[in-house]
C-alpha cells in the first residue's frame, strides 16, 4: 500500500510503499476512503503535538472507510461495513488498523467527505459547548477563528443550542462562511477592535477560542460576569498568559478542552456526543463545510492550506473511490 510517513520532524512528508498491516486482536483494518486534515497534523509533523508518536509514523488523525478485516477479539464490526474512526494517526494511507472501540458506524446518508470531516471538528465544538461550558439558550457566544475547521462547527452548534453567536474571523470571504453557518453578528479581526466590537454587542457569556494570543486577550476583556472561556487551541502560535487576579473581578472561568483526551479517562463523553451529532446530521440539522477536497498525491498542498490559513471549514484528502 501507499502511505505518507513522518521520518524526521519538520521535514516534508514522504510517500512510500509499505506492507498492508494485519489488525491486532482489538483492531479493525480499514480500506481508507478519505482522511480529514487538522491543524494538529502540522504540529505533529514538527514534533510539537502533545500526542506525537515515535518516529517513523503515518499522520492523519480521522478517517472514513470500509472495514477490510477484523481482529480476533472484535465484535460488532464486519468486512464491508462503512465506519469513521478517530485513530489519532495512520490516516494518510490506503489501509490502516485502528482500535475497534474508536470506530463509529456511518449512516447511508453520510458520504465519505462528510464522515472524514466530521468527528474532530463537530466533536470538539459539541463537547466544549455542551459538556464543558454548559451553553444555555439565549446566551451570547463569541467564536474566534470562526471560519476554521472547528470554528465553523462552533457557530453552527451554538445556533442549534439557542445562542446568539458573534463570529470573529479575518476577511470578507471567511466572514461570509461564518454567516452562512448561522452567525448573528460578524467581526473582521483584520481591522476591528475585537474588545470594543463585542462590548458594543453587550459582551460575551461564552468564548470559544482556537486562536489564542491577542485575540484571547481582547475576548477576555469583553466577557460578561460569570462568563466561561474555552481554550481550544493556539493557531496564532501564542499561548495566552492569564493573570489569576483578573478572573476574580468578573468571576470568570477559563477551561481547556482537548477532545481526544477523553479517550483516556471518559470515552463515553465522546461516544454519547458523536451519537447525538450523527443523529443531527441524519436529520439535516448540521452540514460539514469542506472547502477543499484534494487527491492523495496533494497532501502537502492540503497541509499548506491549513498552515497559511487559506481554508474555511475542513480540508479532506480523498484516498480511494469506494
Amino acid at each position: 500500500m501507499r502511505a505518507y510517513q513522518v521520518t524526521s520532524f519538520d521535514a516534508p512528508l514522504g510517500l512510500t510503499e509499505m506492507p498492508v498491516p494485519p489488525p491486532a486482536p482489538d483492531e479493525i483494518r480499514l480500506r481508507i476512503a478519505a482522511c480529514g486534515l487538522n491543524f494538529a497534523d502540522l504540529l505533529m509533523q514538527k514534533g510539537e503535538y502533545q500526542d506525537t508518536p515515535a518516529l517513523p509514523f503515518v499522520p492523519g488523525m480521522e478517517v472514513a472507510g470500509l472495514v477490510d478485516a477484523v481482529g480476533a477479539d472484535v465484535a460488532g464490526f464486519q468486512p464491508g461495513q462503512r465506519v469513521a474512526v478517530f485513530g489519532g494517526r495512520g490516516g494518510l494511507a490506503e489501509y490502516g488498523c485502528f482500535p475497534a472501540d474508536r470506530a463509529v458506524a456511518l449512516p447511508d446518508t453520510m458520504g465519505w467527505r462528510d464522515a472524514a470531516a466530521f468527528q474532530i471538528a463537530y466533536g470538539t465544538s459539541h463537547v466544549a459547548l455542551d459538556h464543558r461550558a454548559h451553553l444555555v439558550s439565549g446566551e451570547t457566544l463569541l467564536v474566534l477563528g470562526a471560519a476554521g475547521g472547528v470554528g465553523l462547527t462552533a457557530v453552527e452548534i451554538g445556533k442549534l443550542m439557542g445562542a446568539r453567536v458573534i463570529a470573529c474571523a479575518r476577511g470578507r470571504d471567511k466572514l461570509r462562511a461564518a454567516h452562512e453557518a448561522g452567525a448573528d453578528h460578524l467581526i473582521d479581526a483584520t481591522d476591528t477592535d475585537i474588545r470594543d466590537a463585542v462590548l458594543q454587542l453587550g459582551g460575551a457569556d461564552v468564548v470559544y477560542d482556537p486562536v489564542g494570543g491577542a485575540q484571547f486577550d481582547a475576548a477576555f476583556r469583553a466577557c460578561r460576569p460569570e462568563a466561561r472561556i474555552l481554550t481550544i487551541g493556539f493557531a496564532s502560535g501564542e499561548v495566552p498568559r492569564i493573570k489569576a487576579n483578573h478572573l476574580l473581578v468578573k468571576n470568570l472561568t477559563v477551561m481547556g478542552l482537548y477532545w481526544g483526551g477523553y479517550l483516556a479517562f471518559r470515552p463515553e463523553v465522546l461516544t454519547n456526543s458523536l451519537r447525538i451529532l450523527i443523529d443531527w446530521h441524519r436529520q439535516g440539522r448540521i452540514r460539514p463545510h469542506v472547502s477543499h477536497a484534494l487527491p492523495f498525491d496533494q497532501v502537502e498542498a492540503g497541509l499548506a492550506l491549513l498552515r497559511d490559513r487559506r481554508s474555511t471549514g475542513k480540508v479532506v484528502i480523498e484516498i480511494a473511490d469506494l
Side-chain angles (χ1 to χ4, degrees):
M1 71 175 190
R2 295 181 301 160
Y4 285 88
Q5 267 196 327
V6 177
T7 55
S8 63
F9 293 128
D10 218 9
L13 292 177
L15 184 59
T16 186
E17 294 275 346
M18 61 177 58
V20 175
D26 62 345
E27 291 182 335
I28 58 174
R29 185 173 69 205
L30 295 190
R31 185 180 178 195
I32 299 172
C35 177
L37 298 184
N38 294 274
F39 192 78
D41 290 310
L42 295 174
L43 298 178
M44 197 177 291
Q45 192 177 357
K46 296 190 292 184
E48 296 177 357
Y49 191 58
Q50 58 261 31
D51 284 340
T52 299
L55 295 171
F57 64 90
V58 175
M61 303 180 74
E62 55 182 337
V63 300
L66 291 175
V67 176
D68 176 69
V70 298
D73 298 337
V74 173
F77 293 101
Q78 57 188 5
Q81 191 170 1
R82 301 173 72 251
V83 301
V85 183
F86 169 72
R89 58 175 169 170
L92 289 173
E94 292 177 318
Y95 291 84
C97 295
F98 306 97
D101 59 5
R102 296 191 181 190
V104 292
L106 295 175
D108 293 338
T109 53
M110 185 180 289
W112 296 127
R113 283 188 189 181
D114 279 7
F118 190 79
Q119 293 182 90
I120 294 176
Y122 278 101
T124 294
S125 292
H126 184 253
V127 171
L129 296 175
D130 183 58
H131 178 73
R132 293 290 282 146
H134 302 293
L135 179 68
V136 175
S137 180
E139 289 189 312
T140 296
L141 168 66
L142 170 62
V143 180
L144 304 179
V150 294
L152 272 179
T153 63
V155 171
E156 199 174 358
I157 290 174
K159 285 301 295 180
L160 277 175
M161 294 178 68
R164 180 180 69 141
V165 178
I166 304 171
C168 180
R170 293 187 179 275
R172 183 178 304 172
D173 290 343
K174 292 191 174 184
L175 288 173
R176 184 183 301 114
H179 177 69
E180 291 172 354
D184 299 288
H185 304 280
L186 306 174
I187 296 174
D188 191 337
T190 305
D191 55 11
T192 305
D193 186 309
I194 296 172
R195 172 184 175 273
D196 287 350
V198 175
L199 287 175
Q200 288 176 18
L201 293 168
D205 297 300
V206 175
V207 175
Y208 183 97
D209 178 23
V211 178
Q215 290 196 27
F216 173 94
D217 296 337
F220 187 96
R221 296 167 64 205
C223 283
R224 291 175 174 173
E226 294 193 325
R228 291 89 74 201
I229 304 173
L230 291 154
T231 57
I232 308 298
F234 313 105
S236 68
E238 183 179 347
V239 178
R241 294 178 179 270
I242 303 166
K243 293 184 178 180
N245 59 313
H246 291 184
L247 299 175
L248 307 183
V249 178
K250 294 183 181 178
N251 292 289
L252 302 180
T253 301
V254 179
M255 58 187 74
L257 189 283
Y258 169 39
W259 182 78
Y262 278 96
L263 289 169
F265 63 96
R266 287 194 64 188
E268 73 278 5
V269 171
L270 303 191
T271 304
N272 293 337
S273 172
L274 285 172
R275 187 177 299 117
I276 292 169
L277 290 166
I278 288 174
D279 193 48
W280 282 356
H281 185 279
R282 186 184 292 111
Q283 296 171 24
R285 300 178 70 190
I286 55 177
R287 181 183 300 173
H289 179 87
V290 177
S291 64
H292 296 82
L294 303 176
F296 194 37
D297 60 359
Q298 293 187 27
V299 167
E300 282 290 356
L303 291 170
L305 289 168
L306 298 182
R307 187 182 301 113
D308 301 336
R309 295 177 176 82
R310 290 184 283 119
S311 62
T312 56
K314 292 287 288 190
V315 177
V316 171
I317 301 300
E318 297 182 317
I319 298 173
D321 183 13
L322 303 182

